[in-house]
Amino acid sequence: MKHILLFGPPGAGKGTQAQLLVDKYKFIHLSTGDMLRDEIKRSTEIGLKAKKIIDSGQLVPDEVVAEMVRLRIKNMKDNTGIIFDGFPRTVAQACKLDEIMNDEKQEIAMMIAIDVHDEEIIKRILERGKISQRSDDRDINTIKNRIDTYNQQTAILADYYKQQKKFKSVDGIGSIEDIFQKICKLIEEA
Ligand code: B4P
């Protein structure tokens, strides 16, 4: 059973590639972004707090996200391998994930980073903003804040997984299918 972390800046293609991987390998897709948007849609207490944070381009507090992930994993019936999409996003979340996996007697196989430069990311997110219902995809300042947040708090996670010899990366510029093939190769070689 392989558990994979998809990593990269906002708009790099994590959600897009995660869906293709789920279709091909029957992984379970665990997207903290989707989970938070679901909380917002249902106007839960978490959702009401998360909306403001997400719309400002900041990160939802570690303990809130980690607890959501812990419960989701604990309640999985057939854990056939998980694609983590957008989690962890801070070192504290990565430590928490280690704890959760340890409790479940599971292990992260690898982190796959999707490399895309800022100009392309902004273009992609604004494009998605025209059709998606996501308020955080429409405002250029929010998008820039998300990129800053990524650079300040998330990018460092590459080192965390490099130290564990679990870090791989692919060029995220090109067709969705070409990038998908590169990711599949890494997964099948592992
Ligand atoms: P997410 O939902 O994770 O949003 P995201 O970073 O934009 O990535 P997403 O997966 O949606 O986009 P993708 O790259 O696939 O997070 C939203 C917010 O929730 C965060 O800002 C934060 O506030 C909060 N949050 C989530 N997780 C958290 C955590 N762990 N801790 C704290 N807070 C958390 O795709 C982008 C677009 O590019 C798509 O339109 C796609 O079609 C297009 N695209 C993809 N690949 C392409 C390619 N190769 N070429 C051209 N376009 C492509």
Side-chain angles (χ1 to χ4, degrees):
M1 197 185 322
K2 287 176 189 164
H3 303 299
I4 314 280
L5 307 179
L6 275 189
F7 184 66
K14 301 182 295 288
T16 306
Q17 296 296 332
Q19 195 48 57
L20 294 172
L21 292 168
V22 167
D23 293 345
K24 177 163 177 169
Y25 296 107
K26 310 295 171 218
F27 282 116
I28 295 168
H29 184 195
L30 193 157
S31 158
T32 41
D34 286 351
M35 289 162 81
L36 289 166
R37 281 186 287 279
D38 181 58
E39 297 280 345
I40 294 172
K41 208 165 133 200
R42 292 185 291 113
S43 299
T44 63
E45 199 181 324
I46 291 179
L48 293 174
K49 283 187 193 144
K51 173 141 181 52
K52 280 192 202 133
I53 299 172
I54 291 176
D55 284 346
S56 70
Q58 306 292 314
L59 294 179
V60 174
D62 290 333
E63 56 280 11
V64 174
V65 182
E67 182 58 12
M68 281 188 344
V69 170
R70 192 185 67 77
L71 286 175
R72 175 84 199 277
I73 294 177
K74 195 167 163 259
N75 291 325
M76 276 177 192
K77 288 197 180 74
D78 300 312
N79 187 341
T80 48
I82 304 169
I83 287 287
F84 289 90
D85 162 10
F87 182 88
R89 260 175 156 99
T90 63
V91 172
Q93 290 182 19
C95 294
K96 193 68 201 172
L97 180 61
D98 283 346
E99 267 176 52
I100 296 169
M101 295 309 268
N102 209 21
D103 288 349
E104 297 290 323
K105 304 200 173 20
Q106 303 283 330
E107 205 190 329
I108 298 297
M110 70 177 111
M111 165 180 268
I112 301 178
I114 307 176
D115 292 333
V116 181
H117 55 80
D118 290 359
E119 217 179 300
E120 172 72 12
I121 285 167
I122 294 173
K123 201 175 91 192
R124 285 184 192 179
I125 298 179
L126 284 173
E127 204 50 47
R128 181 173 62 184
K130 289 183 196 162
I131 44 166
S132 81
Q133 303 301 315
R134 287 178 55 169
S135 46
D136 61 335
D137 279 350
R138 285 185 222 132
D139 182 89
I140 185 75
N141 291 321
T142 303
I143 297 170
K144 285 186 174 160
N145 283 344
R146 284 162 66 189
I147 295 172
D148 286 346
T149 303
Y150 173 82
N151 289 330
Q152 286 159 13
Q153 298 184 56
T154 308
I156 193 174
L157 281 180
D159 292 337
Y160 187 91
Y161 289 96
K162 273 178 195 165
Q163 277 165 16
Q164 298 184 15
K165 305 211 179 334
K166 290 181 178 171
F167 181 85
K168 307 269 178 197
S169 68
V170 295
D171 183 356
I173 304 286
S175 75
I176 289 171
E177 180 57 27
D178 283 352
I179 297 162
F180 178 57
Q181 292 309 328
K182 286 186 235 167
I183 294 176
C184 290
K185 193 161 177 277
L186 288 178
I187 292 176
E188 284 167 21
E189 282 168 0

